[in-house]
Amino acid sequence: MMHHSFFQASTSGRKAPWLLLLLCVGLLWQTAAAQEIKSPNANLTLTFALQADGVPTYRLTYKGREVIKPSKLGLELKNAPALTSGFAVAGTKQATFNETWQPVWGEVKTIRNHYNELAVTLTQAATQRTLLVRFRVFDDGLGLRYEFPRQPKLDYFTIKEERTQFALAGDHKAFWLPGDYDTQEYSTVTSNLSEIRGKMKAATTPNASQTPFSATGVQTPLMLKSKDGLYINIHEAALIDYSAMHLELDDQSFVLTSHLTPDAVGDKGLIQTPANSPWRTVIVSDKAGDILESKLVLNLNEPTKFKDVSWIKPVKYVGVWWEMITGKSTWSYTNQENIKLDSIDYSKVKPNGTHGANNAHVKEYIDFAAKHGFDAVLVEGWNTGWEDWFGKHKDYVFDFVTPYPDFDVVELNRYAASKNVRIIMHHETSGSVRNYERHLDSAFQFMNKYGYNAVKTGYVGDIVPLGHHHYDQWVNNHYQYVLEKAAEHKIMVNGHEAVRPTGLARTFPNLIGNEAARGTEYEAFGGNNADHTTILPFTRLIGGPMDYTPGIFQTKVSAYNPQNTSFVHSTLARQLALYVTMYSPLQMAADLPETYNQHLDAFQFIKDVAVDWDDTKVLEAEPGDYITYARKAKGKTSWFVGSTCDEQGRTSKINLSFLDPSKKYVATVYADAKNAHYEKNPQAYAIRKMNVTSKSKLSQYCAPGGGYAISIMEAGAAR
Ligand code: NOJ
Ligand code: CA
């Protein structure tokens, strides 16, 4: 499955005992020349250098242009001297790595992992401590991380703050979210870096419940564009046993500095050596599409150790969900609030008549899924506790094994199985990590017993134990624990409100989805910006797939709930495009069956579109403006194209040269009608069929807030 070639390019490591090392320090101090490595294609150059006071720095250029100006590295520790200065270079090692590997699921069948590496061993003579900085330079960017070898003077330590700088070359255009320890569900702001401070307040109102940590702090992935057209993306990879990184901007110098999520007592991480930090990543290109095609974040994660991955499968699903989000039905079974849940006898209380997850209704969804070839039905609100899920006693609200009286877990799973459909489990924890861990074993045993193979988790609200944050080390370890426990039970996980992904799905391919950004649900809570989905692939999706839950055809939420005046900021045709532009092995058709039944012609695209791919090409892209992807279905000859544009509308011009030149195809184009508009006329679409080959060119109009989707099937081939 994998072939490697690993060869050492050069070695200058010193394996000297401490005494000898100390003797050498003076000499090394003066002679520590800058170390330089290039990307395999030589476009990128990474330079490591020690400043005069022994401060480690790095610099990154792309085709001779400054991406990261000399930037400091290091960490401050609690109750211990900082690991930021007074270093000497004790040794350096260079290596080259070149392999290809095949993901269990993905955007492409085969991924190339090719980089040049520089590992710098630093010693701090005054404290007799050693720190290693490892750099990997790929054709598409840089990864760097700290390594803390096991050593007498650095066995346990507490991080006060990581001080990794990213000194930018100018006042770049930024696609940013407020830096927040507990929510990633803000609207993205597009502005110059120098404007962040002025826009921060507006950026956090009206929908965010939390508070940013400063006036210039932002989240990653952070997408940047320089005035001279360099696209730069900063994020992290392999976030394990560490706090999630934010970036604090100095808006005079345009230096970004890492800012880790604090725990309940303000600490930023407890480390026992040997240990590594996550990778800090900088993806760079002069072509926007290269950022989208980069596999750097995945490549910086470890290969999976799972021996059997046959139980991990991409999933296309429908669900008892949008009806609750819009307010048409409810998660809860009764209208009582603030009830003491452990004393309630549900068979005695009056049902509210709006409970969505009832037997008859769930069967309708199962029938609909079976009829149209979906793999699964998500059912939320199946279990007791929703009456009080935000209450004071949320630590005890859910036990994840007790269904409401009108949800027959045995019968519904039997019924689903008889139709070759699975029910997706839902575990809303209401942020009580402690309560979830208390019940995790029995919850997963329950799933195994009744035939569930996937769970959607949720962490709405403050974390319990109180004071912890959604992205601190302790809570990140919880998400990791759930993922690993789930794997023991052969369960796939889709985490909502959990920490943003950092490519961990390479190592743990049962992590088939995450939310970790503002998803479709916000179209029912006031709406998403019309350009939202032209930005997300450049930001949130750099870390991994998103359960965005597209496919809303009834764009007026009031059609389901007269009290809800929200509308979907997208045309219907663009909702189809999102299955291609928002990569995920887990895709929902989020609207209600009654609505799909009125638009079966457009619904056909959702039925046809693949969720796993052999190949992916970005045909056009500009963050905040438009994105056009073409993807080839895994193991098939069919291709799917998706294009979204912002509120301006545009004409997309593509050629189909990605098609096999020896084949003839039939294309079905699902597009905005001439008079479509995301606010004024979102449901106006037109479908046309035509014969195409690899020589075909297409010019296709996208309405304001619109888009188009194309299925391209080999002529004469079965669907
Ligand atoms: C927020 C999630 O994003 C949404 O999908 C879910 O339905 C609710 N929490 C309730 O768990
Ligand atoms: Ca959410």
Side-chain angles (χ1 to χ4, degrees):
M1 208 169 140
M2 229 187 246
H3 27 113
H4 308 229
S5 78
F6 189 91
F7 39 94
Q8 224 69 331
S10 79
T11 303
S12 64
R14 277 165 218 261
K15 288 193 186 106
W18 264 107
L19 251 182
L20 184 63
L21 256 182
L22 287 175
L23 290 176
C24 296
V25 159
L27 180 76
L28 284 164
W29 191 282
Q30 288 142 30
T31 58
Q35 298 282 324
E36 194 181 283
I37 53 168
K38 288 187 184 295
S39 58
N41 68 3
N43 282 345
L44 281 90
T45 304
L46 174 278
T47 314
F48 172 86
L50 273 189
Q51 284 184 357
D53 45 356
V55 173
T57 66
Y58 75 103
R59 173 179 181 231
L60 183 70
T61 60
Y62 174 82
K63 297 183 183 169
R65 288 144 79 183
E66 202 108 43
V67 180
I68 305 289
K69 299 197 298 183
S71 294
K72 295 179 183 174
L73 296 164
L75 301 102
E76 287 172 11
L77 309 190
K78 189 180 170 184
N79 302 326
L83 290 166
T84 49
S85 63
F87 283 110
V89 174
T92 63
K93 250 187 191 179
Q94 291 191 22
T96 292
F97 190 73
N98 189 2
E99 70 167 9
T100 56
W101 59 281
Q102 299 194 308
V104 176
W105 42 260
E107 294 178 87
V108 294
K109 193 176 173 185
T110 304
I111 294 174
R112 182 138 190 241
N113 183 11
H114 190 194
Y115 58 81
N116 292 325
E117 180 175 282
L118 170 68
V120 183
T121 301
L122 297 165
T123 53
Q124 200 179 39
T127 64
Q128 297 183 7
R129 295 180 303 179
T130 296
L131 171 70
L132 203 136
V133 186
R134 192 178 297 278
F135 300 94
R136 289 184 180 166
V137 187
F138 303 77
D139 287 346
D140 48 349
L142 166 72
L144 75 90
R145 76 172 180 193
Y146 302 99
E147 299 182 6
F148 312 103
R150 186 147 177 73
Q151 53 195 292
K153 295 286 160 79
L154 197 66
D155 49 0
Y156 293 92
F157 63 93
T158 301
I159 299 174
K160 191 164 150 202
E161 189 59 279
E162 182 184 317
R163 296 282 180 207
T164 304
Q165 291 186 341
F166 305 85
L168 302 170
D171 187 11
H172 301 337
K173 185 176 179 184
F175 300 84
W176 57 274
L177 298 183
D180 194 308
Y181 307 141
D182 287 291
T183 182
Q184 297 145 147
E185 299 181 8
Y186 290 108
S187 297
T188 307
V189 185
T190 305
S191 79
N192 286 342
L193 290 166
S194 58
E195 295 167 322
I196 288 179
R197 185 185 297 277
K199 290 185 184 284
M200 186 60 77
K201 195 160 189 299
T204 58
T205 42
N207 283 319
S209 53
Q210 308 293 337
T211 351
F213 62 78
S214 82
T216 56
V218 297
Q219 307 199 17
T220 73
L222 175 66
M223 186 65 210
L224 301 162
K225 186 183 181 185
S226 73
K227 304 272 179 299
D228 62 347
L230 273 191
Y231 298 87
I232 303 167
N233 183 286
I234 303 177
H235 189 36
E236 59 181 314
L239 172 57
I240 293 181
D241 198 11
Y242 207 87
S243 287
M245 181 179 73
H246 301 80
L247 299 168
E248 180 72 81
L249 170 72
D250 178 331
D251 48 2
Q252 302 295 307
S253 63
F254 306 118
V255 175
L256 296 160
T257 306
S258 55
H259 175 106
L260 302 180
T261 310
D263 67 15
V265 295
D267 291 341
K268 306 244 167 157
L270 308 178
I271 308 289
Q272 181 185 2
T273 60
N276 304 328
S277 74
W279 293 94
R280 278 63 188 94
T281 61
V282 181
I283 305 173
V284 57
S285 180
D286 46 19
K287 248 185 80 197
D290 289 349
I291 306 292
L292 301 177
E293 288 183 5
S294 171
K295 298 290 171 283
L296 182 143
V297 168
L298 274 180
N299 278 329
L300 287 169
N301 280 267
E302 295 299 316
T304 186
K305 292 194 180 73
F306 291 4
K307 295 211 174 63
D308 172 19
V309 291
S310 61
W311 50 279
I312 302 170
K313 295 217 162 64
V315 179
K316 205 191 287 183
Y317 72 104
V318 293
V320 184
W321 177 74
W322 185 239
E323 55 183 84
M324 280 92 86
I325 294 288
T326 55
K328 180 183 174 24
S329 65
T330 58
W331 283 276
S332 56
Y333 173 75
T334 77
N335 278 340
Q336 303 194 20
E337 272 172 31
N338 298 318
I339 44 179
K340 191 134 182 4
L341 284 157
D342 49 2
S343 59
I344 184 170
D345 179 353
Y346 276 101
S347 64
K348 300 224 171 70
V349 295
K350 195 166 160 277
N352 58 15
T354 54
H355 181 222
N358 67 76
N359 292 324
H361 196 47
V362 172
K363 282 192 175 176
E364 286 168 17
Y365 273 87
I366 294 171
D367 290 342
F368 182 80
K371 181 170 176 196
H372 295 290
F374 286 80
D375 305 297
V377 178
L378 166 72
V379 184
E380 295 197 5
W382 69 277
N383 59 326
T384 58
W386 288 87
E387 287 78 3
D388 200 31
W389 73 299
F390 255 146
K392 288 215 165 49
H393 296 286
K394 69 175 188 170
D395 193 16
Y396 291 98
V397 161
F398 293 115
D399 67 8
F400 312 99
V401 294
T402 310
Y404 280 129
D406 58 348
F407 183 90
D408 185 337
V409 69
V410 179
E411 167 57 14
L412 288 171
N413 280 284
R414 183 207 62 80
Y415 188 76
S418 78
K419 303 212 154 189
N420 209 14
V421 168
R422 296 276 197 155
I423 303 180
I424 298 179
M425 174 50 79
H426 185 230
H427 291 165
E428 174 56 62
T429 69
S430 62
S432 184
V433 163
R434 173 187 138 105
N435 183 53
Y436 193 29
E437 291 192 356
R438 192 188 275 147
H439 292 286
L440 201 57
D441 277 320
S442 51
F444 284 163
Q445 279 159 20
F446 179 93
M447 287 180 62
N448 284 159
K449 180 168 171 196
Y450 295 109
Y452 294 88
N453 67 346
V455 61
K456 169 178 171 180
T457 59
Y459 296 87
V460 172
D462 291 343
I463 297 290
V464 179
L466 293 173
H468 274 283
H469 294 296
H470 279 72
Y471 323 126
D472 73 28
Q473 179 191 28
W474 191 90
V475 181
N476 291 341
N477 287 352
H478 163 78
Y479 307 130
Q480 187 64 29
Y481 176 67
V482 171
L483 196 56
E484 289 174 24
K485 272 266 164 200
E488 285 170 24
H489 291 266
K490 295 194 168 26
I491 288 169
M492 301 184 277
V493 179
N494 168 25
H496 278 228
E497 291 86 42
V499 70
R500 42 202 174 269
T502 56
L504 281 179
R506 180 180 183 192
T507 317
F508 305 96
N510 62 323
L511 181 58
I512 55 166
N514 270 120
E515 181 188 42
R518 202 176 159 96
T520 296
E521 63 181 354
Y522 281 86
E523 301 286 17
F525 313 153
N528 287 332
N529 293 337
D531 65 358
H532 190 50
T533 51
T534 67
I535 298 170
L536 282 175
F538 284 101
T539 54
R540 162 64 184 75
L541 272 75
I542 294 297
M546 177 170 178
D547 184 32
Y548 188 71
T549 68
I552 305 299
F553 285 8
Q554 176 46 270
T555 53
K556 278 200 199 72
V557 175
S558 59
Y560 298 142
N561 172 9
Q563 263 125 62
N564 190 332
T565 55
S566 266
F567 68 94
V568 180
H569 290 51
S570 158
T571 64
L572 189 154
R574 181 214 267 176
Q575 288 294 307
L576 300 178
L578 297 178
Y579 291 89
V580 183
T581 61
M582 297 286 289
Y583 167 67
S584 178
L586 177 77
Q587 286 284 14
M588 183 178 202
D591 212 334
L592 275 47
E594 65 193 54
T595 294
Y596 288 137
N597 283 331
Q598 288 165 25
H599 298 279
L600 286 173
D601 55 353
F603 187 57
Q604 188 64 45
F605 181 82
I606 303 179
K607 292 173 66 170
D608 291 339
V609 71
V611 283
D612 202 11
W613 310 99
D614 272 343
D615 201 6
T616 287
K617 309 246 185 255
V618 179
L619 305 181
E620 310 170 291
E622 181 61 29
D625 294 344
Y626 54 85
I627 290 178
T628 308
Y629 272 106
R631 302 190 197 265
K632 181 177 169 292
K634 192 135 188 182
K636 304 218 170 106
T637 55
S638 46
W639 284 77
F640 295 85
V641 175
S643 181
T644 72
C645 65
D646 64 10
E647 66 292 337
Q648 318 248 310
R650 70 187 282 265
T651 297
S652 160
K653 289 195 166 62
I654 59 171
N655 69 61
L656 308 188
S657 57
F658 51 84
L659 294 176
D660 181 338
S662 70
K663 287 185 165 55
K664 292 188 165 129
Y665 298 84
V666 178
T668 310
V669 184
Y670 303 77
D672 294 322
K674 277 275 160 296
N675 58 350
H677 186 282
Y678 76 102
E679 279 176 309
K680 296 174 205 135
N681 197 16
Q683 286 178 311
Y685 61 91
I687 301 174
R688 66 183 199 277
K689 268 195 186 344
M690 56 199 192
N691 296 323
V692 296
T693 67
S694 64
K695 296 216 172 62
S696 302
K697 291 184 179 7
L698 185 78
S699 172
Q700 180 60 54
Y701 174 67
C702 297
Y708 65 88
I710 315 176
S711 66
I712 307 175
M713 312 279 189
E714 192 180 350
R719 278 197 192 287

